[in-house]
Structure formats: C-alpha cells, structure tokens
C-alpha cells in the first residue's frame, strides 16, 4: 500500500484541514521550534550531569577493586561517590532527559506549539539549581541516608517547585491540544508527570520532613524508590518507544488494544511492587506477599508491550542499520523486557534469598535504568535534536562510536555482574565460606565492570562531542543539509524562528 | 503523626478517585473507542504512514 | 488457522489456503506489506488465557503465603491451624479478677497503689486489711458507692486520719468505675482475692442488693466507719444471711431435693 493511500485514509479519519499542505508543514516546524529553547536546556544540562555521573561512577567502580584509589580524599569515600553517582544520573541526567522528551512528545502529539516556553526554561534553571545544591550537599556530607532521597532537605523544595511547574505546563499543553484523540504515549506522559510530584512530595514529607518511625520508614522508602522507576521513568521511556518505533519505520503500532491493556495494567500493578525489596525483613508477611504477587503480575504489561513492539518491528529490522534512533530505542525496548523479567524473578522469595545484597541487584538496576531508560533517551535525542535545531548530526562515525560503546559496555556489565552476583550470593549463604573469600571472588568481575564503564564513558564522550558540534552548527550560518530528513523544518528554519 | 495520617488518608481517597474520574473522562470523550484512529496519530501528511524517517546511517541516504 | 495437509496449500503466510500459483500471480502484492489490520489487531486469545492464569496464580499465592493477613505475622510459612484461645476453658474467677484489675489499676491504684499497699497520708492499705477481708462485702460496696470520710482503724492497730481531717476523703467511685454493678463486683473481687487477701468473691447480685438498700442515700453523703460498723456484715461470706432470706416454700423445695441420707443428718442437727 502506498503512502498516498495511507495519507488519504488519514485525511478521511482525522479532523482538520489537510488540503493546505504548506500549512501543515509550517505547523510541524513551528511546534518543533517552540520547544527548542526549553528542550535544549534540558538536554544540555542533562548531558553535563551525565558526564559528571559517569566520572563518579568510574571512581566508585575503581574503588571497589582498588580500595586505595583516591583514599586520601574524605569527601570522595565510596559511600559518598556512589551516592553522588546515583543522584547525578537519576536526577541530573535521566529526569532532565525525560522532561525534555516528554515536552517535545506532548507538543507533537497534541499538535500545538509549546505556550510560553520561557516558563519551562525557568523550571529547568530551578531544577539545575536544586540538583547542584543537592549534589553539593551530599558531597559536603549532608546526605539524608535514605536511598534514592539522599539529597538534603534544603535542596528538595526547589526540585519540587520545578517538578510541579513542569507538570502544570504539560497539562496546559494537553488542555490546548488541537488533536482531540489521545495516543497511548500521551497517557503514559500524563500519568508520569502527575505521579512523580505526588510520589516525591509524599516521600519527602513521610521520610524527611516529618519522619514516620520503625519499619514503616523502610516500607515508604521502597515504595518511593521502586515507583520512581515504575511510575516516572518507565512511563516516559515507554511513551518514547510507542512513538518512535512507528514513527521511524513508518508503520502504525501493531495493536492498539494491547497498548491500552499495557498501560492500565501497569498503572494497576506497578505501585504495589516496592515491598519485594524487603523480602526477609521484619514486615508483616502479607505486605511482602502482596508485593511479590503484584511484581509477577507485571508480566501482563511487560509481555503485552513486548509482543506489541516486536510485532510492529517484524519485517523492518533492516532499518536498524540506518536509523540511530531505532537502534537505541529497540535496544531499550528489548532491555525493558529483559529487565522486567529479571525483576519478576528477583521478587520471588526463593531467588531473592540468593541474589539480594549481591552485585546481581546492581546489574539489574543498570539493566533497567541504563540499558532500558538511558538508551531510549539517547535514541529520542537523536530524533528530536535535528528537528528542533534544524541541523543534521555532524558525524555518523561518532553516532556509531556512541552506540557500540554503550551497547557493548552495558551488555558486558549486566551479563558479568548478574552471573557473578548469583555465585556471590551462593557463597554468602554458605557458612563454610569466609566472607573475605567472597570479596576476593568478586574482584575480577568488578575489574570487568570498570572496563565496561570506560566503554560507556567513551560512548558518552562521543555523544557529547557530536552534540556540541551540532550546537555549533546551529549557531553558524545555515547551510542546506546534505541529508534531507527535515522536510518540514527546511521551510521554517532559515527565518531563525 | 496527624500530618502523616492526613496525607495518607488524602492520598488513599484521592488517587482511586482520580483514576476513576480519568477513566470516566476517557470513555466519555471517546478515547476508548476508535483504536484504529488512535494508532495513526503519530503520523501526519508530512510524515505519513509508510514513509520511514531518520534513515541517516549507512548507504541508505536519500 | 488452516490445518490442511494438502501439499499445494500453504498453511501459513498472508495468503492462507490459496494455491501456490495464485500466490505467484500475486507476488508483487505479497511483497507489499499490507497495513489495513495494523493498529487495531484484536487481542490474541493466548494472551487472554495467559492473563487469566496469572491472576489465578496470584490468588493462590496470596492465599498460601500471606500469613492470614495478620499484622503481627512476620513469616509467610504455614504454622499449622490457629488455635482459638477461647477453646481452652477459662477459670471464670480469673476472668472476673482480670476485669477487676483493669478497673483497679485505672482508678483505685492512684491512691491505694497497684499492690494495694495504700499511700502514706492518702489512703489506707487494702492488702491484709480486716475491713477488706470481712466475711461479707456489704460494707465495702457501700464505701465504693458513696465514699468514706473520717478516721479509719485498720486491723485494730493502725488508725488513718485520726483527727478526722475533712479534706482526707474518699469520694464516691461509682461513676468513675462506670456505674456498673458488674464492674463494682469485679473490682471488689479483685481486691478481696489479691495481695494475700482471703475474702470471698463478690457477685453483681450482692451489689444490687446493697444498692437497693441504700437507694435513698445521696452519692455525696460519704460514710464514716462509725456508721458502717453498725451495719451487720452480710453477703455470700456471712454465715447467717442465706437461710433466713429463704421463704418457707423455697426451704421446702430445697429439703425435698436433698438425698435421703443428707435429710436424715439435717434432721438430727435440728433435733440437737
């Protein structure tokens, strides 16, 4: 079926005036241009935090197998470095990339330009001030000691204001939408921007402002920490996958029924999952059991989404060779399935007894946050940036270095640490094995981890160079791009809007 | 503790209510029907169904 | 799905059940990926069945490993069937004493102390007191009902409040203990059987009887020991009380119910 027929079908079922093609193109370019400043701010600051996070990750990784490394710096002990790594990549990079992608996707799918983009830019500045204060506080020793909420209490209100502003602006964009019908990505985006301020606010009040006592603290902590993944990063990652796979291969999603089922079952089951981190802890048995059941029920949204994405991709895998976006996105989509299946396994009591408190958990966290989420964000950036800047990516070689560096790096990381973690867990459960022997056993695997970290750092460096080059081109005089993927943008960009 | 209790109770009551309201809104505004149309939303006249985008690597330059 | 074994039919593919030559004719069409079904592919039945079995598993797991959803059950493993505590017959006296203890510790212990030893200058001892251990509880019931003032002599040796200081008063505790005959009986039972005391248990009926006798008295009209000493000790522990209260008819009934040998013994005693 040709594209002409498809667009006729589209004209028949979509509202609006399609006869004036120039108007449509100008409209799309206008949407991209309206997002330019805030989305660029979020991406640029996110990438700077990614570089800082990568640095801290390497330091932490080296310290684990070479404890003497930087041992003389008291603000760079392992406890602080690891915490700073987590907070820079989670709040600095991932959240900012997520907001950038969310805003652009929302505008594209609502078919309206972003209103008052300056407000979102201000939210970004607020956000970066908050993260900087928070990271500085952790480095100064003010960590709250609560996992995923280590930022001191004087930093978090700034972040909360920023989150709230972003949420309000996303909803305003949504209210002004020109397209009445919602695509599944919009469901995920709306849910994420509403869930996160609620999660973050509740956890802040219950753990830091007016702390609850006893095991309730652990329960709230893991409710939050797991839901950050499940109700903030996962929906935005899935929203991007649901948009970019059909967009890049030029084919609608396989089954919209599956999309709807996937969304609502995620909304129903994910928020119960947190307590499976406390298997064996002094919580009433039913709380943990309910969590385990909900974790297993996550098979429904995960497999639904996996089947849907795979069925969409069938027959189009060849396009992976030509589209950087598709490479990263498909890598992320596959990782989402694998991470979720590993998560289901880890939630089971019999497995958790072995794998908990080992490097297996670390590998799982990186499979979810990096191989799934960060990769999807990279893929989205490869698609969005040329469109909002009106310039092509300067170097295809750097794109390849980025992809293969991080892909090989994270696969090595996850495979090696997952396997080593299981053996580590078996050794720790064996009372005849000395603890020091367990530590010595892990050292070669930790060294491999540092190597994989260096590979990912190489990829990040390639991406940042390519990105910087793109920005330089953006401010340079306009030249017609060699590769024409910007049919719409070409019309609007020379005016410098 | 009363602050916590209030927040908890509020959350417990508000969230399912919000979920139900959004579901009601979705069904009333027809979001749960015409899935065929919803699946085509990422596409428009400029980037229609059937045309691949972002093919910038390798020998497939257009 | 076509299950045909016919070699010239293709069981799978876009042109199910069509002859190969037909497929060849339409080769160009087959190469073109069709799109009409995309976007609204209906749910696969296997997916529905998978979801149903997952939900079923979830229900079974919840039933088996949730520690009966009890707040203080920390192990998911089965501990056998729960043993109902009420299945073990409880000593009725112990139950009454436990209820009495709750009342005593909540109210009376403020002055009389939890061990019943009293407090110097505040309240006399209850442990080992002759007033508490009296043969019948009728005076004690009055004290709790209307309060007590003036000097109190305990065990004929210790005199509390000898000067009769009007500020040293035990007011009526009737409302404090909940204005309940059962509770008054329980708390007196606890007092009379604890800390080495040897008094009998007190029944709600005894309390009712005393309350009926003192119905006219104002709650604020505290007793003095002088007044109380004029009231003969009575109750289940007092020997004289029970037979005299029976009517001749009731007595006859009881005598008839006695076995023959016991009746003979009784008649001998009467003869003496």
């Amino acid at each position: 079926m040709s594209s002409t027929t498809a667009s006729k079908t589209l004209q028949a079922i979509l509202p609006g005036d399609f006869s004036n093609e120039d108007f449509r193109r100008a409209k799309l370019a206008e949407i991209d241009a309206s997002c330019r400043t805030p989305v660029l701010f979020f991406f640029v600051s996110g990438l700077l935090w990614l570089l800082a996070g990568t640095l801290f990750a390497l330091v932490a990784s080296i310290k684990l197998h070479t404890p003497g490394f930087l041992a003389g710096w008291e603000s760079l002990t392992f406890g602080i470095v690891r915490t700073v790594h987590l907070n820079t990549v989670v709040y600095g990079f991932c959240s900012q990339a997520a907001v950038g992608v969310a805003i652009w996707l929302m505008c594209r799918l609502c078919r309206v330009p972003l209103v008052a983009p300056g407000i979102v830019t201000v939210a970004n500045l607020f956000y970066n001030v908050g993260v900087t204060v928070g990271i500085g506080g952790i480095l100064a020793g003010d960590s709250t000691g609560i996992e995923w909420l280590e930022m001191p209490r004087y930093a978090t209100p700034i972040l909360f204001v920023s989150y709230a502003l972003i949420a309000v602006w996303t909803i305003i964009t949504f209210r002004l939408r020109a397209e009445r019908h919602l695509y599944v990505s919009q469901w995920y985006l709306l849910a994420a921007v509403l869930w996160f301020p609620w999660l973050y606010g509740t956890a802040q009040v219950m753990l830091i402002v007016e702390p609850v006592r006893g095991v309730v603290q652990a329960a709230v902590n893991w409710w939050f920490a797991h839901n950050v993944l499940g109700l903030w990063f996962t929906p935005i990652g899935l929203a991007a996958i649901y948009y970019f796979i059909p967009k890049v291969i030029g084919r609608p999603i396989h089954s919209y029924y599956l999309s709807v089922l996937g969304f609502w079952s995620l909304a129903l089951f994910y928020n119960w999952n947190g307590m499976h981190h406390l298997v064996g802890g002094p919580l009433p048995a039913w709380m943990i059991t309910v969590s385990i059941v909900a974790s297993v029920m996550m098979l429904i949204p995960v497999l639904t989404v996996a089947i849907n994405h795979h069925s969409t991709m069938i027959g189009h895998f060849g396009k992976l060779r030509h589209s950087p976006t598709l490479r990263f996105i498909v890598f992320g989509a596959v990782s989402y399935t694998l991470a979720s299946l590993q998560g289901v396994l880890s939630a089971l009591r019999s497995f958790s007894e072995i794998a908990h408190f080992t490097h297996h958990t670390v590998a799982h966290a990186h499979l979810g946050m990096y191989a799934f989420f960060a990769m999807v964000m990279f893929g989205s950036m490869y698609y969005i940036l040329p469109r909002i800047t009106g310039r092509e990516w300067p170097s295809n070689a750097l794109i390849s270095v980025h992809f293969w560096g991080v892909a090989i790096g994270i696969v090595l990381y996850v495979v090696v640490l997952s396997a080593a973690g299981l053996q580590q867990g078996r050794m720790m459960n064996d009372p005849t094995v000395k603890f020091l022997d367990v530590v010595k056993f892990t050292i070669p695997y930790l060294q491999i981890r540092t190597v994989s970290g260096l590979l990912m750092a190489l990829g990040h460096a390639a991406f940042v160079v390519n990105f910087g080059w793109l920005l330089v081109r953006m401010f340079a005089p306009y030249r017609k791009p060699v590769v024409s993927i910007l049919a719409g943008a070409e019309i609007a960009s020379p005016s410098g809007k | 503790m009363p602050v916590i209790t209030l927040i908890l109770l509020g959350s417990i009551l508000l969230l399912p209510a919000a979920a139900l309201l959004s579901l009601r809104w979705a069904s009333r505004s027809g979001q749960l029907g015409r899935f065929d149309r919803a699946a085509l939303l990422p596409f428009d006249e400029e980037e229609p169904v059937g045309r691949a985008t972002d093919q910038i690597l390798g020998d497939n330059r257009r | 799905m076509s299950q045909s074994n016919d070699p010239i039919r293709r069981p799978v593919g876009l042109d199910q059940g069509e002859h190969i030559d037909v497929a060849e004719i339409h080769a160009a069409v087959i190469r073109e990926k069709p799109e009409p079904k995309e976007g609204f592919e209906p749910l696969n039945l296997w997916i529905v069945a998978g979801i149903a079995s997952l939900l079923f598993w979830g229900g079974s797991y919840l039933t088996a490993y949730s520690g009966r959803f009890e707040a203080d059950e920390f192990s998911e493993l089965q501990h056998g069937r729960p043993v109902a505590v009420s299945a073990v017959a409880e000593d009725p006296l112990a139950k009454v004493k436990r209820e009495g203890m709750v009342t005593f510790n909540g109210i009376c212990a403020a002055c009389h102390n939890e061990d019943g030893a009293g407090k110097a200058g505040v309240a006399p001892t209850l442990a080992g007191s002759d007033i508490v251990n009296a043969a019948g509880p009728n005076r004690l019931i009055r004290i709790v009902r209307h309060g007590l003032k003036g000097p109190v002599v305990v065990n004929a040796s210790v005199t509390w409040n000898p000067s009769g200081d009007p500020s040293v008063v035990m007011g009526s505790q009737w409302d404090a203990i909940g204005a309940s005959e059962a509770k008054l009986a329980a708390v007196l039972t606890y007092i009379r059987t604890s800390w080495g005391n040897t008094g009998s248990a007190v029944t709600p009926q005894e309390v009712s009887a005393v309350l009926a006798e003192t119905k006219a008295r104002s709650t604020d009209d505290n007793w003095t020991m002088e007044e109380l000493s004029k009231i003969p000790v009575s109750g289940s522990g007092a020997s004289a009380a029970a037979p005299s209260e029976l009517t001749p008819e009731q007595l006859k009934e009881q005598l008839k119910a006695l076995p023959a040998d016991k009746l003979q013994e009784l008649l001998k005693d009467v003869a003496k």
Side-chain angles (χ1 to χ4, degrees), chain A residues 79 82-83 86-87 90-91 138 143-151 200 203-204 207-208 217-218 220-226 228 277-278 356-357 361-362 365:
Chain A
R82 195 208 82 98
T83 308
L86 186 144
N87 281 277
V90 166
Y91 293 103
I138 296 172
S143 162
T144 61
I146 297 168
E147 208 164 353
W148 287 80
L149 291 167
E150 288 98 342
M151 288 198 186
Y200 196 69
Q204 283 291 331
L207 292 175
I208 290 167
Q217 217 170 48
V220 174
N221 190 184
W222 282 111
W223 169 81
F224 170 77
H226 204 89
V228 170
H277 288 267
L278 298 165
H356 205 185
F357 305 121
T361 311
V362 180

Side-chain angles (χ1 to χ4, degrees), chain A residues 42-274:
Chain A
F42 273 104
F43 284 175
V44 169
S45 49
L47 281 181
L48 293 178
W49 283 116
L50 175 69
L51 287 185
T54 311
L55 202 64
F56 281 103
L58 284 173
V59 172
S61 181
I62 293 171
K63 272 171 177 282
L64 272 183
H65 55 75
T66 313
F69 183 67
L70 294 179
W73 298 57
E74 51 184 38
S75 62
L76 291 179
T77 55
F78 179 77
I80 288 180
V81 170
R82 195 208 82 98
T83 308
V84 170
H85 161 62
L86 186 144
N87 281 277
T88 43
V89 295
V90 166
Y91 293 103
F93 170 62
C94 288
S95 289
Q96 297 212 68
V99 171
V101 170
I103 289 171
W104 184 82
L105 271 183
M106 198 48 123
C107 290
R108 268 284 181 114
L109 286 167
C110 292
R111 298 180 204 276
V112 284
L114 187 62
V115 279
I119 301 283
V120 186
T121 312
V122 168
N124 171 271
L125 295 177
F126 258 99
Y127 191 88
N128 279 297
V129 169
V131 174
T132 311
V133 170
I135 301 289
I138 296 172
L139 279 172
D142 279 354
S143 162
T144 61
I146 297 168
E147 208 164 353
W148 287 80
L149 291 167
E150 288 98 342
M151 288 198 186
R153 60 193 300 174
Y154 47 77
T156 45
I158 314 175
L159 290 181
F160 185 80
V161 169
S162 180
Y163 285 134
L165 210 55
I166 291 161
V168 168
W169 232 248
T170 313
I171 292 162
I172 287 178
T173 309
F174 177 72
R175 291 289 298 171
L176 295 173
R177 70 192 185 280
E179 168 57 55
R180 298 305 302 167
H181 218 84
L182 265 67
Y183 186 58
V184 63
S185 293
Q186 281 160 296
W187 278 111
Y188 280 111
L189 292 175
L190 279 178
V193 297
L194 289 177
W195 276 331
F196 191 69
W198 169 67
L199 273 177
Y200 196 69
T202 310
Q204 283 291 331
V205 170
M206 293 186 70
L207 292 175
I208 290 167
V209 178
E210 180 114 3
V212 290
R213 272 173 284 177
V215 291
V216 185
Q217 217 170 48
V220 174
N221 190 184
W222 282 111
W223 169 81
F224 170 77
H226 204 89
N227 282 349
V228 170
L229 301 172
L231 301 182
W232 171 237
F233 292 122
T234 301
I236 292 183
L238 289 181
I241 297 176
Y242 267 115
Y243 182 80
F244 286 116
I245 286 185
K247 195 74 182 164
V248 172
I249 68 176
R251 176 188 190 184
I253 197 76
H254 169 68
S255 166
Y256 205 79
Y257 293 111
L258 285 177
S259 322
V260 172
L261 179 67
F263 174 78
W264 285 102
S265 50
L266 179 108
L268 182 61
F269 292 124
Y270 216 130
N271 50 42
W272 300 74
N273 280 11

Side-chain angles (χ1 to χ4, degrees), chain A residues 269-332:
Chain A
F269 292 124
Y270 216 130
N271 50 42
W272 300 74
N273 280 11
M275 296 317 116
H276 69 216
H277 288 267
L278 298 165
V279 168
L283 261 79
W286 69 267
M287 287 178 76
I288 294 169
T289 301
V290 165
S291 238
I292 292 173
V293 170
S295 307
V296 176
M297 288 304 138
M298 280 301 294
L299 285 172
I300 298 174
V302 168
L303 293 181
T304 315
V305 166
I307 291 168
N308 210 359
H309 290 162
H310 183 78
S311 307
T312 311
M313 278 300 292
I314 285 174
H316 294 267
F317 285 103
K319 296 198 171 67
L320 286 173
R321 284 179 53 223
H322 307 300
S323 166
T325 301
L326 199 60
R327 277 189 199 182
F328 281 97
I329 295 273
V330 169
F331 190 100

Side-chain angles (χ1 to χ4, degrees), chain C residues 186-225:
Chain C
V187 76
L188 286 180
T189 302
Y190 173 69
I191 292 169
R192 275 162 68 82
T193 54
S194 303
W195 321 303
N197 287 344
T198 54
S200 59
V202 181
T203 64
Q205 288 74 25
E206 286 170 327
V207 177
S208 306
V210 174
L211 291 185
E213 285 170 31
T214 60
K215 213 171 180 179
R217 196 177 176 93
S218 157
T219 297
D220 299 326
D221 189 0
N222 304 330
W223 296 95
T224 60
M225 280 312 284

